[in-house]
Amino acid sequence: MYVLHSLAVLCVWTMVPSPITGDNRYKQGDAVMLYVNKVGPYHNPQETYHYYQLPVCAPSQIRHKSLTLGEVLDGDRMAESMYKIAFRVNMEREPLCELKLSVSQVEELRQAIEELYYFEFVLDDIPIRGFVGYMEESGFLPHTHKIGLWAHLDFNIEYKEDRIIFANVSVRDVKPFSLDDVREPLSLTHTYSVRWFPTSVTYERRGDRLRDSSFFPKSLEIHWLSIINSMVLVFLLLGFVVIILMRVLKSDLARYNLDEEGTDDMEQGDNGWKIIHTDVFRFPPYRSLLCAVLGVGSQFLALGTGIIVMVLLGMFNVHRHGAINSAAILLYALTCCISGYVSSNFYRQMGGDRWVWNIVLTTSLFSAPFFLTWSVVNSVHWANGSTQALPATTILLLLTVWLLVGFPLTVIGGIFGKNSAVNFEAPCRTKNIAREIPSQPWYKSAPVHMAIGGFLPFSAISVELYYIFATVWGREQYTLYGILFIVFAILLSVGACISVALTYFQLSGEDYRWWWRSIMSTGSTGAFIFLYSVFYYWRRSNMSGAVQTVEFFGYSFLTAYVFFLMLGTVSFTASLRFIRYIYVNLKMD
């Protein structure tokens, strides 16, 4: 029952409608609550702090708003503000507070303005963003450096009938309070104005109004050149595998089967992949680890596909408040049964008998690196007072979900996989003594195969990868999930095709150690993705600071690791099916 309760709580937190779709109705003069949320450097999206950590107008007792799981994961920490706003009541130059700032507080504000800190308020579940202050640098000789604080804010709110449609903050007609020559404590009066405007935009179109007037850059446009380039690459690879490789296989099978009919000595004059038929299905070392990789890779394939399908079906709003993060946590817990089933089933097929150890290895293959990485990142956020540091209650909830849902489902899936396993279907008998592998040319070595197998899938998604990074680590809004689904399918197709081709070349060189090679060859795409993340950080972004750097590289490493698991699984599955196909069609005693 506790497991079901945890799942129910997580489901409710995940599927709660986005705050953009709230349904608040007001009468003229009704109070409209304005919440303050967070502040942070504009170029460091994941470095956010509570608004009241700055020396600003704050109530004597701070009261926080109850948040959903998605909002907490997104770094939101909403609290009631001192702004008094009434529905459809205009206000001019209303005093907010008389703020007395020490020299150190002035310096803190000056540093925040120099780092382009922006603030985020929330009014009727509508995000309102603006910059904390004003900075101007001009000229070389003489050089000028001006810093000013916005001590007055103009709130412009649009309404239709009894609902609020849109709100923003403006400083167009406001002169900033200069902080350039402040060397002593000062007193500063903060004021605000509120202006209400009727609009023809319906409440149902409120989300479009918010997107069209975003504080951050607009949503990404469809990039057809990238899609066409990726699809051409896929068609070329499919043509290579299906036409050229099948012609070679047809020639090989005709020659090998003709030799079989014409001689009693099967191995007389043989070379290539036929001669290793008694070794090609010899189980590799570290079978339990290999099966764990396949299990967790299958889980993330299901997880990624499920997330994209949910977005395409419009099951949650993707523009704000970490809805996808919440759904990913829920799906990860529920799909743990897939990893347990696949890993245990294949492990038993390969003759493994330590299935308990296999389950433990499977459940910790991703969770252990994730926990270590998250611990470092969260500790850095906590030490710097960032709102991205998860509260203890959220940590306990997520840990409970994993212990009472994720891990048990892995065990249950493992039990079903073990009990339903059949004998490994090998079309060839394996000899007791392994055949000696001849020396291989350099272009058939594992590093070369990993470079080829990793670069081609990466090249198919490299352009799309930029837009994804710009969304996750920048200020863009990604809305092209149909295109993302196509690119995801392209990535898996390219990985499978490359794996089949590289496996054939390896077997042609009489090297039967294809098990781990097939995983590493295409799984190395993860290494290229991590290298791209380094390039993106230094050349394509303006991120800086220890907080942002630790989070960026920590989660980029986990992303590359997930791609390694997924593509390694696809690569191995394609290679195994290919090898079974060619040896089933080979005539042997």
Side-chain angles (χ1 to χ4, degrees), residues 262-277:
T263 179
D264 293 332
D265 187 0
M266 179 180 292
E267 298 184 1
Q268 181 178 353
D270 282 350
N271 54 35
W273 53 268
K274 177 185 177 180
I275 201 173
I276 59 173
H277 68 277

PDB file of all heavy atoms in Angstrom, residues 262-277:
ATOM      1  N   GLY A 262      31.322 -29.907 -52.291  1.00  0.00           N
ATOM      2  CA  GLY A 262      32.386 -30.502 -53.092  1.00  0.00           C
ATOM      3  C   GLY A 262      33.507 -31.097 -52.299  1.00  0.00           C
ATOM      4  O   GLY A 262      34.452 -31.640 -52.878  1.00  0.00           O
ATOM      5  N   THR A 263      33.501 -31.026 -50.999  1.00  0.00           N
ATOM      6  CA  THR A 263      34.600 -31.584 -50.217  1.00  0.00           C
ATOM      7  C   THR A 263      34.075 -32.107 -48.908  1.00  0.00           C
ATOM      8  O   THR A 263      33.070 -31.647 -48.396  1.00  0.00           O
ATOM      9  CB  THR A 263      35.684 -30.511 -49.949  1.00  0.00           C
ATOM     10  OG1 THR A 263      36.711 -31.094 -49.169  1.00  0.00           O
ATOM     11  CG2 THR A 263      35.099 -29.320 -49.195  1.00  0.00           C
ATOM     12  N   ASP A 264      34.732 -33.080 -48.355  1.00  0.00           N
ATOM     13  CA  ASP A 264      34.351 -33.637 -47.064  1.00  0.00           C
ATOM     14  C   ASP A 264      35.032 -32.923 -45.922  1.00  0.00           C
ATOM     15  O   ASP A 264      34.630 -33.054 -44.783  1.00  0.00           O
ATOM     16  CB  ASP A 264      34.725 -35.133 -46.992  1.00  0.00           C
ATOM     17  CG  ASP A 264      33.884 -35.945 -47.969  1.00  0.00           C
ATOM     18  OD1 ASP A 264      32.746 -35.518 -48.262  1.00  0.00           O
ATOM     19  OD2 ASP A 264      34.383 -36.986 -48.431  1.00  0.00           O
ATOM     20  N   ASP A 265      36.074 -32.187 -46.227  1.00  0.00           N
ATOM     21  CA  ASP A 265      36.774 -31.431 -45.187  1.00  0.00           C
ATOM     22  C   ASP A 265      36.197 -30.027 -45.146  1.00  0.00           C
ATOM     23  O   ASP A 265      36.419 -29.226 -46.039  1.00  0.00           O
ATOM     24  CB  ASP A 265      38.282 -31.400 -45.486  1.00  0.00           C
ATOM     25  CG  ASP A 265      39.076 -30.767 -44.355  1.00  0.00           C
ATOM     26  OD1 ASP A 265      38.440 -30.369 -43.356  1.00  0.00           O
ATOM     27  OD2 ASP A 265      40.301 -30.671 -44.498  1.00  0.00           O
ATOM     28  N   MET A 266      35.441 -29.772 -44.113  1.00  0.00           N
ATOM     29  CA  MET A 266      34.705 -28.502 -44.059  1.00  0.00           C
ATOM     30  C   MET A 266      35.644 -27.314 -44.078  1.00  0.00           C
ATOM     31  O   MET A 266      35.353 -26.296 -44.701  1.00  0.00           O
ATOM     32  CB  MET A 266      33.852 -28.464 -42.787  1.00  0.00           C
ATOM     33  CG  MET A 266      33.077 -27.156 -42.646  1.00  0.00           C
ATOM     34  SD  MET A 266      32.082 -27.132 -41.172  1.00  0.00           S
ATOM     35  CE  MET A 266      30.884 -28.377 -41.603  1.00  0.00           C
ATOM     36  N   GLU A 267      36.773 -27.410 -43.431  1.00  0.00           N
ATOM     37  CA  GLU A 267      37.634 -26.254 -43.260  1.00  0.00           C
ATOM     38  C   GLU A 267      38.751 -26.192 -44.289  1.00  0.00           C
ATOM     39  O   GLU A 267      39.638 -25.379 -44.201  1.00  0.00           O
ATOM     40  CB  GLU A 267      38.224 -26.265 -41.850  1.00  0.00           C
ATOM     41  CG  GLU A 267      37.157 -26.172 -40.767  1.00  0.00           C
ATOM     42  CD  GLU A 267      37.764 -26.097 -39.400  1.00  0.00           C
ATOM     43  OE1 GLU A 267      39.005 -26.103 -39.319  1.00  0.00           O
ATOM     44  OE2 GLU A 267      37.016 -26.023 -38.414  1.00  0.00           O
ATOM     45  N   GLN A 268      38.740 -27.099 -45.275  1.00  0.00           N
ATOM     46  CA  GLN A 268      39.796 -27.080 -46.267  1.00  0.00           C
ATOM     47  C   GLN A 268      39.625 -25.882 -47.187  1.00  0.00           C
ATOM     48  O   GLN A 268      38.614 -25.751 -47.883  1.00  0.00           O
ATOM     49  CB  GLN A 268      39.760 -28.366 -47.101  1.00  0.00           C
ATOM     50  CG  GLN A 268      40.873 -28.426 -48.150  1.00  0.00           C
ATOM     51  CD  GLN A 268      40.821 -29.743 -48.918  1.00  0.00           C
ATOM     52  OE1 GLN A 268      40.044 -30.627 -48.579  1.00  0.00           O
ATOM     53  NE2 GLN A 268      41.660 -29.854 -49.932  1.00  0.00           N
ATOM     54  N   GLY A 269      40.613 -25.020 -47.197  1.00  0.00           N
ATOM     55  CA  GLY A 269      40.597 -23.841 -48.051  1.00  0.00           C
ATOM     56  C   GLY A 269      39.644 -22.760 -47.610  1.00  0.00           C
ATOM     57  O   GLY A 269      39.443 -21.781 -48.311  1.00  0.00           O
ATOM     58  N   ASP A 270      39.009 -22.927 -46.463  1.00  0.00           N
ATOM     59  CA  ASP A 270      38.072 -21.912 -45.993  1.00  0.00           C
ATOM     60  C   ASP A 270      38.818 -20.712 -45.426  1.00  0.00           C
ATOM     61  O   ASP A 270      39.924 -20.821 -44.914  1.00  0.00           O
ATOM     62  CB  ASP A 270      37.166 -22.482 -44.909  1.00  0.00           C
ATOM     63  CG  ASP A 270      36.063 -23.340 -45.521  1.00  0.00           C
ATOM     64  OD1 ASP A 270      35.931 -23.310 -46.747  1.00  0.00           O
ATOM     65  OD2 ASP A 270      35.372 -24.030 -44.750  1.00  0.00           O
ATOM     66  N   ASN A 271      38.198 -19.571 -45.531  1.00  0.00           N
ATOM     67  CA  ASN A 271      38.651 -18.379 -44.825  1.00  0.00           C
ATOM     68  C   ASN A 271      37.451 -17.474 -44.616  1.00  0.00           C
ATOM     69  O   ASN A 271      36.371 -17.719 -45.136  1.00  0.00           O
ATOM     70  CB  ASN A 271      39.770 -17.651 -45.598  1.00  0.00           C
ATOM     71  CG  ASN A 271      39.356 -17.341 -47.034  1.00  0.00           C
ATOM     72  OD1 ASN A 271      38.195 -17.048 -47.306  1.00  0.00           O
ATOM     73  ND2 ASN A 271      40.306 -17.407 -47.957  1.00  0.00           N
ATOM     74  N   GLY A 272      37.653 -16.431 -43.860  1.00  0.00           N
ATOM     75  CA  GLY A 272      36.556 -15.514 -43.614  1.00  0.00           C
ATOM     76  C   GLY A 272      35.682 -15.967 -42.454  1.00  0.00           C
ATOM     77  O   GLY A 272      36.128 -16.678 -41.548  1.00  0.00           O
ATOM     78  N   TRP A 273      34.421 -15.553 -42.510  1.00  0.00           N
ATOM     79  CA  TRP A 273      33.566 -15.766 -41.350  1.00  0.00           C
ATOM     80  C   TRP A 273      33.073 -17.199 -41.214  1.00  0.00           C
ATOM     81  O   TRP A 273      32.588 -17.585 -40.149  1.00  0.00           O
ATOM     82  CB  TRP A 273      32.387 -14.801 -41.379  1.00  0.00           C
ATOM     83  CG  TRP A 273      31.568 -14.791 -42.640  1.00  0.00           C
ATOM     84  CD1 TRP A 273      31.747 -13.992 -43.718  1.00  0.00           C
ATOM     85  CD2 TRP A 273      30.446 -15.622 -42.929  1.00  0.00           C
ATOM     86  NE1 TRP A 273      30.808 -14.262 -44.679  1.00  0.00           N
ATOM     87  CE2 TRP A 273      29.989 -15.265 -44.210  1.00  0.00           C
ATOM     88  CE3 TRP A 273      29.779 -16.634 -42.240  1.00  0.00           C
ATOM     89  CZ2 TRP A 273      28.908 -15.870 -44.819  1.00  0.00           C
ATOM     90  CZ3 TRP A 273      28.700 -17.243 -42.828  1.00  0.00           C
ATOM     91  CH2 TRP A 273      28.264 -16.869 -44.111  1.00  0.00           C
ATOM     92  N   LYS A 274      33.150 -18.017 -42.285  1.00  0.00           N
ATOM     93  CA  LYS A 274      32.679 -19.403 -42.160  1.00  0.00           C
ATOM     94  C   LYS A 274      33.569 -20.213 -41.227  1.00  0.00           C
ATOM     95  O   LYS A 274      33.089 -21.034 -40.442  1.00  0.00           O
ATOM     96  CB  LYS A 274      32.625 -20.069 -43.534  1.00  0.00           C
ATOM     97  CG  LYS A 274      32.219 -21.549 -43.445  1.00  0.00           C
ATOM     98  CD  LYS A 274      32.281 -22.246 -44.781  1.00  0.00           C
ATOM     99  CE  LYS A 274      31.931 -23.726 -44.610  1.00  0.00           C
ATOM    100  NZ  LYS A 274      31.989 -24.452 -45.891  1.00  0.00           N
ATOM    101  N   ILE A 275      34.855 -19.977 -41.289  1.00  0.00           N
ATOM    102  CA  ILE A 275      35.809 -20.823 -40.573  1.00  0.00           C
ATOM    103  C   ILE A 275      35.694 -20.669 -39.059  1.00  0.00           C
ATOM    104  O   ILE A 275      36.168 -21.530 -38.302  1.00  0.00           O
ATOM    105  CB  ILE A 275      37.244 -20.501 -41.056  1.00  0.00           C
ATOM    106  CG1 ILE A 275      38.182 -21.658 -40.743  1.00  0.00           C
ATOM    107  CG2 ILE A 275      37.739 -19.210 -40.431  1.00  0.00           C
ATOM    108  CD1 ILE A 275      39.559 -21.487 -41.332  1.00  0.00           C
ATOM    109  N   ILE A 276      35.044 -19.592 -38.587  1.00  0.00           N
ATOM    110  CA  ILE A 276      34.947 -19.375 -37.143  1.00  0.00           C
ATOM    111  C   ILE A 276      33.558 -19.738 -36.625  1.00  0.00           C
ATOM    112  O   ILE A 276      33.162 -19.290 -35.550  1.00  0.00           O
ATOM    113  CB  ILE A 276      35.273 -17.907 -36.783  1.00  0.00           C
ATOM    114  CG1 ILE A 276      34.308 -16.951 -37.496  1.00  0.00           C
ATOM    115  CG2 ILE A 276      36.711 -17.567 -37.126  1.00  0.00           C
ATOM    116  CD1 ILE A 276      34.458 -15.509 -37.057  1.00  0.00           C
ATOM    117  N   HIS A 277      32.835 -20.598 -37.403  1.00  0.00           N
ATOM    118  CA  HIS A 277      31.467 -20.899 -36.989  1.00  0.00           C
ATOM    119  C   HIS A 277      31.412 -21.671 -35.674  1.00  0.00           C
ATOM    120  O   HIS A 277      30.381 -21.672 -34.997  1.00  0.00           O
ATOM    121  CB  HIS A 277      30.753 -21.694 -38.094  1.00  0.00           C
ATOM    122  CG  HIS A 277      31.294 -23.070 -38.282  1.00  0.00           C
ATOM    123  ND1 HIS A 277      32.416 -23.325 -39.042  1.00  0.00           N
ATOM    124  CD2 HIS A 277      30.879 -24.267 -37.804  1.00  0.00           C
ATOM    125  CE1 HIS A 277      32.667 -24.625 -39.032  1.00  0.00           C
ATOM    126  NE2 HIS A 277      31.744 -25.225 -38.287  1.00  0.00           N
TER     127      HIS A 277
END
